[in-house]
Amino acid sequence: MATPHVLSSTTTAFRGELRAPEAQCLYCFSACPPENEFCCRGCAQVYDIVNARSGGAFFNLRTKLGSSSKPQTQLEFSAASDFSYLDSEEYLQNYAAENRTEMEFYLEGVHCSACVWLTEKIPTWIPGVASIQLNLGTAVATVRLKPGGTFQAVADEFLRLGYRPSPISSGVIEALQKNEARRHLMQLAVAAASAGNIMLLAAAIYAGADGGFVELFRWLSFLLYIPSLVYSAQPFYKGVIGSLRRRYLSIDVPIVLGIAMGTGFSIYNLLTGGVHLYFDSMASLIFLMLSTRYLLRRVNQKALIATSIVQFVAPEKVLRWSGDNTILSGSFTEVDSRGVVVGDVLKILPGAAFPADATILSGTSTVNTALLTGESKPLLSEPDDKVFAGTINLSHPLVVKVLAVASKTRLARIVKQAEDSLMSKAPIVQFLDRVGQYFVVAVVVFAAVGFYLGYRDAGDVVSAIERALAVAIVVCPCTFALATPLAFALAMKQGARDGLIIKDAETIERLAQIQQIYFDKTGTLTTGRLSVVRWEPLHKDAEMILRHLERDSAHPIAVAVRAHFSQLSDGTYDGLLVDEVYGLGVSAKINNATYRVGQLRAVDQTRRRFSDSIAVGVYRADTDASEQLLGVVEFADAIKSDAADTLAQLRQSGYSVGLLSGDDAAAVTSVAGQLGFASGSYFYEVSPEFKATKLRASALALMVGDGANDSIALASAYVGLAVRGGVELCARSAGVFAITDSLRSIVNLLTVSKETMHVIYRNLVFAVIYNVVVLSVALTGHLTPLIAAVLMPISALSVFLSTIIGTKKLRALRSVNI
Amino acid sequence: MNIIYIIIPIALFLGGAFVVAFLVSVKKGQYDDLETPAHRILFAENFAENTESQKNTLEKSIREGALNGK
């Protein structure tokens, strides 16, 4: 009743896992059940159509090319969702753009190029749709309507084709970001055209053009330089203004200083007939700096997109009161949670998450607020108390009145904050500023020294200026100030690809030094979900009773039962009335007998086989007799499939690995034994405070744990890696935030960090040697500004190449991993 | 060598035209997504000029596929 949708998809995913995992979808190569040729309806349809249309040519072609698609979790949709809310007035106001004809959807289940074809063809058979464009990288489809079209029709079609659509609000910030990205690209293009053309003219002058041509070329190169100076270099001017306003020196200051000196001196020479013009070197300086920044920004934005998509916690369906507000007549009907608006009265059942911020009208229940506060202890909530979106109602039904939805909820504000802090702490900004502080002073000092030496040696102001300029140009900081953040950005990109969001550059630096790794148990090394480890039927009907009784419950045990007995049985007991009492189990009456699935009686405890399991019995009680045991099921929190491999690899790489768990001795010892932890390296029944103390005492330790329960430990560790948990806490306490369940990416993360730091150190050594050498040559007057202007880009380029080549190994790593 | 006085304006004009063309394409959003077009091209042939009857067949085959539950 609560969320049939979600449950069925869990079951399907599980089914695929349990059976032969080598079976592949004919279309997209994802894993699928062996009795099916395709993983989803979308794939089956496209396969048929494409095959018929291209006469089989496409699939032959694809076999040759090989597939680049990555297997993902499959989704199956049992019930159609009601998308009528999409076209409601309030919704269009929040989500639609371009005069309410354009809306963006995040499509779950998009993973190959056929998805692009299929979704973009929708306008050919759904009337009223102008166009659909799908971005494969972000899985975001932009839908444009013609007059008379509805978003509901398009959303229904998406769902029918096998993609679950979630509308995305295209806020002001996203629009600004998009415009900014475009502007940067245009500035870059102008700078490139300007630099290229000036260089052609400059080459002609150096090659010995004479007479009137020289004067013409000189003026032309000045003209060509103007767009670069006025338009393309704007980001540097803005950077300088911003940094001066905040009273510190950023890396933009020496760049603008160099540009100003070079431009001024060149214009002076142009007017007075002086020999040297530096328009070419200034233009290429601007172009090089812009292109590096553009690349960096692109890399970083990709990581950001990944983080913002993770947060999708609202339930699919909620019960909304329809009728008058006096609660005298009317009833609760099931609606899509995204259609909820402020003022709605909702009924939230136990086990469901709140879809919006709300205040309780009636009912008393406990609420799990771990997502927001990290507090794992349930909070008692009474009428007039507030409840927040994303938190979970635990024990009793609640009737609530909605106070805030979507981007106005507390959860959304927190996510926004986390994103903002991620933006402001971007490593480029941080690092450039730090280096800039020292560099700008050094450049000015050295230029002054050059001026003084030049004046002393040659005795005239012009050669003094030339020497100062040569110094200013040649020590341009792009050598390491830009290559270093590039390396960091590449590492972060690699991390994001593996499902790990790295907070900042400092985290990478620290990860490279890690020697010890501590793991939390529940949810980190184990799946954090219960699954059936043993089923002992004592009666032939036991399985059927068990399956029927647990059919509709949202309790973890019921979910595990459904996952284990995946086939749904025939409808013998359809319409069975099942009573569920929280903490006790489920029971139902069939033919005068009462059946119960719940706690084992004390006398049956001997049937348990595993000490760390949760055991549940299936009982039958006739009207006259006492309970009879029909079967025993044991559940345990299963160890993740890649845990053993990962730990073995980490041990092999020389890390010392430990286990810190708050769980009881039996459970921890069992897991530690299976994963090969030596005695002394694992600790059980420890408090969060003990974990923190332990981590503070270990010098270079990485803590891998739950973002909510282990937040203190994560914050105390040298580096914290949060595998799941509250958004707010993860952003605060951990340096790395995993959006994947896989543990293997941790091995990659450590390798990547080490390699990255290696490349960075190599670049720094090169930069120091280069700068010392050229600086001494320039200061003694053996370097003309012309040669300086050639040397600077070459040095920048070589560091660039070194970074790209140095991270090549990382890219190889990636292909192995997938 | 006087030809240079003609060639240079032509060269600058051509260069400028390409820069302007690029700026316009950026403004129109052609560079916002650099990944999908590479995939899109795989399906471009034949489908682009769907006639009305082809459209109907396409629609039909998709609907049938849905009904068959595949």
Side-chain angles (χ1 to χ4, degrees):
Chain A
M1 201 160 81
T3 51
H5 203 122
V6 172
L7 293 180
S8 97
S9 69
T10 325
T11 323
T12 323
F14 234 95
R15 217 183 292 168
E17 233 168 77
L18 287 177
R19 303 222 181 120
E22 69 274 10
Q24 277 187 343
C25 169
L26 267 183
Y27 191 77
C28 67
F29 301 140
S30 312
C32 71
E35 69 269 18
N36 290 357
E37 287 176 305
F38 301 99
C39 62
C40 60
R41 298 197 312 197
C43 279
Q45 284 168 18
V46 190
Y47 188 90
D48 286 348
I49 299 163
V50 172
N51 209 19
R53 288 299 173 102
S54 65
F58 170 74
F59 292 101
N60 293 339
L61 179 73
R62 196 178 59 170
T63 315
K64 267 186 234 151
L65 292 173
S67 170
S68 60
S69 67
K70 193 172 156 189
Q72 289 187 353
T73 331
Q74 291 316 308
L75 304 152
E76 196 173 285
F77 306 103
S78 50
S81 291
D82 175 21
F83 286 113
S84 54
Y85 66 89
L86 283 178
D87 296 292
S88 70
E89 193 61 22
E90 187 148 333
Y91 211 77
L92 286 175
Q93 222 161 41
N94 280 333
Y95 286 86
E98 299 284 322
N99 207 12
R100 303 187 174 189
T101 58
E102 192 178 308
M103 199 184 284
E104 289 184 326
F105 293 89
Y106 173 69
L107 296 186
E108 221 172 311
V110 163
H111 44 64
C112 50
S113 43
C115 303
V116 178
W117 180 79
L118 189 63
T119 50
E120 295 189 351
K121 279 290 142 194
I122 290 178
T124 54
W125 67 84
I126 300 274
V129 186
S131 73
I132 295 177
Q133 265 201 318
L134 177 68
N135 184 328
L136 198 55
T138 55
V140 171
T142 310
V143 177
R144 288 185 197 84
L145 291 185
K146 285 190 284 205
T150 60
F151 289 113
Q152 185 186 0
V154 179
D156 283 340
E157 195 62 23
F158 280 144
L159 194 68
R160 209 170 58 77
L161 294 176
Y163 312 108
R164 184 157 57 197
S166 311
I168 305 175
S169 62
S170 43
V172 187
I173 293 143
E174 284 82 0
L176 282 178
Q177 266 176 1
K178 203 183 211 175
N179 277 337
E180 204 188 330
R182 286 180 187 174
R183 195 170 58 242
H184 285 135
L185 189 57
M186 295 199 297
Q187 283 167 339
L188 183 63
V190 170
S194 163
N197 282 297
I198 295 174
M199 261 186 254
L200 283 177
L201 296 169
I205 298 177
Y206 297 142
D210 52 8
F213 286 131
V214 179
E215 202 57 19
L216 174 71
F217 290 169
R218 283 161 65 102
W219 278 96
L220 269 180
S221 55
F222 173 58
L223 280 180
L224 285 168
Y225 174 59
I226 290 173
S228 188
L229 179 73
V230 174
Y231 178 66
S232 298
Q234 274 175 8
F236 305 121
Y237 308 146
K238 279 184 192 152
V240 170
I241 292 169
S243 82
L244 290 183
R245 202 173 282 156
R246 281 175 286 155
R247 288 166 202 279
Y248 76 106
L249 298 167
S250 78
I251 197 88
D252 289 330
V253 175
I255 295 171
V256 170
L257 199 71
I259 293 175
M261 274 175 72
T263 309
F265 188 56
S266 301
I267 292 178
Y268 172 76
N269 276 347
L270 180 71
L271 296 174
T272 58
V275 185
H276 297 299
L277 299 185
Y278 303 111
F279 296 130
D280 53 345
S281 36
M282 292 303 135
S284 42
L285 177 74
I286 293 170
F287 167 63
L288 275 172
M289 300 300 264
L290 281 179
S291 49
T292 333
R293 288 189 183 188
Y294 181 76
L295 286 175
L296 283 171
R297 207 168 274 120
R298 274 188 62 86
V299 171
N300 266 32
Q301 246 161 16
K302 268 205 173 160
L304 273 180
I305 288 171
T307 30
S308 54
I309 284 176
V310 192
Q311 310 308 335
F312 224 85
V313 288
E316 292 284 305
K317 299 273 183 200
V318 288
L319 292 170
R320 181 168 68 183
W321 179 261
S322 55
D324 52 22
N325 281 331
T326 55
I327 320 250
L328 286 173
S329 60
S331 61
F332 283 101
T333 48
E334 204 170 77
V335 295
D336 197 294
S337 65
R338 285 166 296 202
V340 168
V341 295
V342 174
D344 278 356
V345 174
L346 307 174
K347 187 175 190 176
I348 310 295
L349 298 173
F354 294 97
D357 289 0
T359 171
I360 298 176
L361 293 179
S362 72
T364 301
S365 178
T366 47
V367 174
N368 177 353
T369 59
L371 186 80
L372 284 179
T373 59
E375 178 65 63
S376 55
K377 228 185 279 165
L379 192 76
L380 185 72
S381 301
E382 292 169 325
D384 290 333
D385 280 352
K386 273 191 180 179
V387 287
F388 298 99
T391 60
I392 298 162
N393 184 15
L394 291 177
S395 54
H396 296 89
L398 287 175
V399 175
V400 299
K401 188 170 184 176
V402 175
L403 296 175
V405 293
S407 60
K408 307 283 195 303
T409 60
R410 191 170 153 207
L411 176 71
R413 285 203 305 269
I414 288 166
V415 172
K416 186 87 203 46
Q417 264 175 23
E419 275 179 17
D420 286 351
S421 70
L422 213 69
M423 274 296 244
S424 62
K425 276 182 198 159
I428 331 160
V429 184
Q430 230 178 27
F431 196 86
L432 291 189
D433 288 351
R434 208 164 53 196
V435 172
Q437 296 283 342
Y438 304 104
F439 223 95
V440 65
V441 178
V443 170
V444 173
V445 168
F446 281 120
V449 171
F451 184 86
Y452 165 73
L453 290 177
Y455 191 74
R456 195 194 62 188
D457 293 350
D460 67 313
V461 179
V462 172
S463 41
I465 289 178
E466 270 189 9
R467 199 179 290 191
L469 192 57
V471 171
I473 294 174
V474 87
V475 296
C476 242
C478 50
T479 321
F480 51 103
L482 289 179
T484 305
L486 177 70
F488 279 134
L490 284 173
M492 286 178 156
K493 188 180 167 189
Q494 168 72 27
R497 204 180 272 140
D498 287 344
L500 300 171
I501 308 298
I502 304 166
K503 201 158 84 178
D504 49 23
E506 199 189 340
T507 306
I508 297 176
E509 228 172 305
R510 288 179 170 214
L511 277 168
Q513 303 162 22
I514 292 295
Q515 286 168 1
Q516 278 176 308
I517 305 170
Y518 284 103
F519 288 91
D520 170 44
K521 185 182 76 77
T522 312
T524 306
L525 289 176
T526 65
T527 59
R529 285 186 308 267
L530 290 179
S531 56
V532 175
V533 286
R534 197 173 71 90
W535 164 230
E536 187 191 351
L538 301 169
H539 187 276
K540 65 177 172 47
D541 288 341
E543 187 185 323
M544 196 158 57
I545 300 286
L546 175 67
R547 283 205 319 244
H548 274 90
L549 260 62
E550 298 288 17
R551 198 164 55 178
D552 296 320
S553 167
H555 194 276
I557 282 187
V559 175
V561 165
R562 279 195 297 268
H564 188 70
F565 303 105
S566 51
Q567 295 135 316
L568 282 172
S569 58
D570 41 41
T572 323
Y573 297 122
D574 255 353
L576 190 71
L577 211 62
V578 178
D579 261 345
E580 184 164 2
V581 182
Y582 271 76
L584 291 178
V586 286
S587 60
K589 249 189 156 85
I590 305 166
N591 302 337
N592 294 330
T594 306
Y595 293 88
R596 172 175 86 87
V597 177
Q599 265 183 343
L600 279 185
R601 290 176 310 185
V603 287
D604 299 324
Q605 286 290 345
T606 47
R607 292 208 171 264
R608 283 181 60 162
R609 197 159 301 160
F610 302 110
S611 55
D612 58 331
S613 73
I614 296 170
V616 160
V618 183
Y619 290 98
R620 169 200 167 106
D622 293 312
T623 39
D624 51 341
S626 62
E627 284 190 320
Q628 176 198 352
L629 184 66
L630 301 182
V632 178
V633 207
E634 284 189 68
F635 302 88
D637 186 3
I639 293 172
K640 281 185 189 172
S641 56
D642 57 354
D645 270 3
T646 306
L647 289 171
Q649 275 185 47
L650 288 174
R651 289 197 189 99
Q652 209 180 355
S653 312
Y655 296 104
S656 82
V657 184
L659 178 63
L660 295 172
S661 177
D663 228 337
D664 59 68
V668 177
T669 314
S670 156
V671 169
Q674 288 175 64
L675 292 174
F677 284 98
S679 65
S681 71
Y682 62 90
F683 302 85
Y684 46 82
E685 287 170 23
V686 293
S687 64
E689 290 76 15
F690 176 85
K691 286 187 185 181
T693 319
K694 179 87 191 149
L695 283 159
R696 241 176 264 128
S698 351
L700 301 167
L702 169 70
M703 173 74 201
V704 184
D706 190 308
N709 307 328
D710 292 323
S711 57
I712 317 173
L714 289 171
S716 311
Y718 193 56
V719 181
L721 195 161
V723 287
R724 54 177 202 171
V727 184
E728 193 173 18
L729 281 156
C730 282
R732 270 197 215 146
S733 57
V736 190
F737 176 34
I739 56 173
T740 163
D741 275 342
S742 156
L743 285 170
R744 202 165 290 139
S745 46
I746 294 172
V747 183
N748 271 8
L749 179 72
L750 292 167
T751 322
V752 165
S753 308
K754 276 190 174 168
E755 292 287 329
T756 305
M757 290 319 291
H758 186 76
V759 167
I760 286 170
Y761 289 137
R762 195 173 64 194
N763 286 348
L764 284 178
V765 167
F766 174 82
V768 167
I769 293 173
Y770 163 84
N771 275 306
V772 167
V773 170
V774 295
L775 200 60
S776 46
V777 176
L779 281 176
T780 49
H782 296 289
L783 197 69
T784 63
L786 171 67
I787 298 175
V790 175
L791 266 180
M792 192 278 294
I794 289 179
S795 81
L797 195 70
S798 55
V799 177
F800 245 83
L801 287 177
S802 141
T803 308
I804 301 289
I805 294 168
T807 49
K808 208 172 156 189
K809 237 190 245 170
L810 307 184
R811 282 192 292 278
L813 198 77
R814 173 189 144 215
S815 54
V816 170
N817 192 43
I818 291 173
Chain B
M1 284 294 272
N2 284 340
I3 190 73
I4 282 185
Y5 291 110
I6 301 167
I7 288 176
I8 285 180
I10 294 177
L12 288 180
F13 174 76
L14 282 176
F18 281 115
V19 170
V20 170
F22 182 77
L23 295 189
V24 169
S25 66
V26 172
K27 272 217 157 139
K28 281 192 168 175
Q30 289 187 25
Y31 287 82
D32 289 354
D33 175 12
L34 298 177
E35 194 178 344
T36 323
H39 295 273
R40 209 170 274 148
I41 198 170
L42 282 174
F43 296 97
E45 51 171 350
N46 300 334
F47 298 121
E49 64 270 12
N50 269 341
T51 62
E52 201 53 39
S53 73
Q54 272 177 319
K55 260 187 217 171
N56 291 338
T57 335
L58 176 69
E59 182 179 353
K60 213 177 133 212
S61 55
I62 288 182
R63 297 236 174 260
E64 274 166 4
L67 289 176
N68 295 340
K70 262 195 151 185

